[in-house]
Amino acid sequence: MDDEIIEKYKKAGKAGAEIKKEILETIKPGTKILNLAEKIEKMIVDKGCGIAFPVNIGINEITAHYTPSHDDERVIEKGDLVKIDTGLHVDGFVADMAYTYCDQPHEYIKAAEEAVKAALDVIKPGVTVGKVSEAIYESVEAKGLGVIRNLTGHGLDEYVIHGPPNIPNIRNENNAVIEEGMAIAIEPFITESDGTVKDSQPTEIYSFLQPKAVRMNEARQILEVSAIEFNGLPFAKRWFAGVFSQMKLSMALRQLVQAEALHPYPVLKESQGRPVAQAEHTILVLEDPVVTTL
Ligand code: CO
């Protein structure tokens, strides 16, 4: 991996780690998640990075792909498991990281963090995906807890937030090799026992898929911005709240999804409604692997 690229990955990761520290010092029950998301996104830009995807804030059974709507009134309550998944980039080189806040100590949070550490202990050039998964799963299983089976860690690349290889959090026989020069994100999701997530309502996040002819002027504008300004990276519906009326915005997004011009990311909830914790770090698989987001 090119030194210049390594520095970009590191810069994104360092900014993410600094933001995490500041957020964990200020977040508390009563915090409005809309304010939290907007604050983190502003901090990302103020640190000279780009937003790789809208800040995901998933409370309890809301596991992934939830970002607040423009008029979101939800506040953090005592005991909530609040997953904050943040993506930053420098010229497209991404730091993908997540942590879980709760106003009290919680075994799922500890288990998620320790499962990431277990993975970090075995990651090096040449290790198989199956070995990394094994380390994660063993760590969680030893605590009598489970993982979300259909969410995985993943590779990262220039302007790619989810690339190969997939790194499951459950045992598998995958002999695909984690190679020197890869950037990968490890992200176990912990719940009471092994479970799954399912597509749910609402959809607040979208990304550019392909150019298509669409009728609405608003839709054409959104498509252009998503391709050029966001470089195909995911964006939030609320980012357009000040530009178009909610009615026009919803219509335009629906039209773009129907035309297969945009990819929708429906919110993912734990299938049985159980609370979930998450931890995530980005690792550069160099001869000596580097965790950029620590
Ligand atoms: Co990720």
Side-chain angles (χ1 to χ4, degrees), residues 53 85 96-97 152-154 156 161-162 185-187 278 280:
F53 52 81
D85 196 338
D96 187 359
M97 60 181 295
T152 69
H154 52 88
L156 296 161
I161 55 160
H162 255 245
I186 296 295
E187 53 175 327
Q278 173 197 18
E280 180 178 25

Side-chain angles (χ1 to χ4, degrees), residues 161-182:
I161 55 160
H162 255 245
N166 271 337
I167 305 168
N169 297 309
I170 48 167
R171 285 199 179 92
N172 62 79
E173 303 290 316
N174 190 340
N175 282 323
V177 167
I178 300 202
E179 287 166 26
E180 185 168 345
M182 280 182 171

Side-chain angles (χ1 to χ4, degrees), residues 252-271:
L253 290 170
R254 205 175 316 130
Q255 206 176 89
L256 288 163
V257 170
Q258 265 167 14
E260 295 182 349
L262 288 184
H263 175 74
Y265 295 83
V267 63
L268 299 174
K269 292 186 185 171
E270 206 280 333
S271 304

Side-chain angles (χ1 to χ4, degrees), residues 1-20 49 86-90 93-98 116 120 123 156 181-186 280-286 288-294:
M1 191 181 278
D2 202 82
D3 279 351
E4 212 175 302
I5 293 176
I6 292 174
E7 284 317 307
K8 288 175 180 178
Y9 272 121
K10 282 185 176 171
K11 182 183 171 187
K14 183 167 176 274
E18 287 168 2
I19 293 169
K20 171 183 173 181
C49 297
T86 311
L88 315 85
H89 74 89
V90 174
F93 298 100
V94 177
D96 187 359
M97 60 181 295
V116 173
L120 297 178
I123 290 172
L156 296 161
M182 280 182 171
I184 56 173
I186 296 295
E280 180 178 25
H281 280 292
T282 293
I283 300 106
L284 298 181
V285 187
L286 307 175
D288 288 315
V290 175
V291 183
T292 63
T293 46
L294 274 181

Side-chain angles (χ1 to χ4, degrees), residues 54-165:
V55 174
N56 284 215
I57 301 179
I59 297 181
N60 300 332
E61 80 284 3
I62 298 175
T63 307
H65 298 174
Y66 186 78
T67 199
S69 63
H70 79 289
D71 58 355
D72 213 304
E73 292 294 333
R74 187 162 187 175
V75 296
I76 294 168
E77 310 278 352
K78 283 184 179 170
D80 276 350
L81 279 177
V82 185
K83 295 163 289 299
I84 301 171
D85 196 338
T86 311
L88 315 85
H89 74 89
V90 174
D91 295 337
F93 298 100
V94 177
D96 187 359
M97 60 181 295
Y99 44 100
T100 302
Y101 163 80
C102 185
D103 68 313
Q104 46 211 269
H106 198 294
E107 61 172 338
Y108 296 4
I109 300 177
K110 201 163 170 251
E113 288 168 355
E114 286 179 9
V116 173
K117 277 195 200 115
L120 297 178
D121 284 345
V122 299
I123 290 172
K124 59 177 186 213
V127 72
T128 63
V129 165
K131 282 271 185 241
V132 178
S133 299
E134 170 73 24
I136 294 168
Y137 194 77
E138 205 171 63
S139 162
V140 178
E141 192 180 41
K143 296 180 176 68
L145 297 171
V147 300
I148 299 297
R149 304 172 63 92
N150 58 342
L151 289 175
T152 69
H154 52 88
L156 296 161
D157 212 334
E158 193 173 358
Y159 289 107
V160 175
I161 55 160
H162 255 245

